[in-house]
Amino acid sequence: QCQLSGLWRNEQDSLMEISAVRDDGDFQGRYLTRVTLAGGCAHISPLKGVQQQPGEGGWPTFAFTVRWDKFSNATTAFAGQCFVDTGGKETLTTTWLLREAVGSLEDDWKATR
């Protein structure tokens, strides 16, 4: 079984810490990003999410959002799944969408990455 709670590091050297996953699947934590649109130092931002525990023998799926705190006018949503290899190593795979605020409806097309 894959456990989301704990400390995770991605290939960009950002860190994510997830507190205990509640019985209903809700969790929260913090995301320390080393990748910012403006460059510069790492920033810690809060995250909230939910895990869907599959039936017997499956790997859990999850989704969470990060509200980039005090350094960006953007929000990111991640959706993914947790896997465990034969050696017991846990791996999270995700797809993400980053939404920046724009000043007009005409600029909506360039606001999501």
Side-chain angles (χ1 to χ4, degrees), residues 3-106:
Q3 299 294 322
L4 283 183
S5 59
L7 186 64
W8 297 88
R9 178 185 308 273
N10 72 10
E11 60 275 354
Q12 302 294 324
D13 250 0
S14 295
L15 298 174
M16 176 176 67
E17 184 177 29
I18 296 176
S19 61
V21 178
R22 295 184 0 197
D23 289 342
D24 64 0
D26 287 354
F27 62 86
Q28 56 187 345
R30 29 189 215 160
Y31 199 100
L32 174 72
T33 185
R34 299 209 183 273
V35 180
T36 64
L37 297 174
C41 62
H43 295 277
I44 296 174
S45 296
L47 70 83
K48 291 184 181 181
V50 65
Q51 173 182 296
Q52 177 65 41
Q53 189 62 41
E56 203 171 308
W59 304 115
T61 58
F62 59 90
F64 63 91
T65 58
V66 176
R67 180 179 50 84
W68 303 112
D69 201 21
K70 299 179 181 141
F71 72 94
S72 176
N73 194 13
T75 302
T76 303
F78 295 78
Q81 189 169 4
C82 188
F83 297 95
V84 180
D85 69 15
T86 56
K89 180 181 177 186
E90 297 173 319
T91 300
L92 303 181
T93 61
T94 61
T95 299
W96 59 269
L97 291 171
L98 180 134
R99 176 63 187 221
E100 293 179 88
V102 292
S104 69
L105 183 57
E106 289 77 23

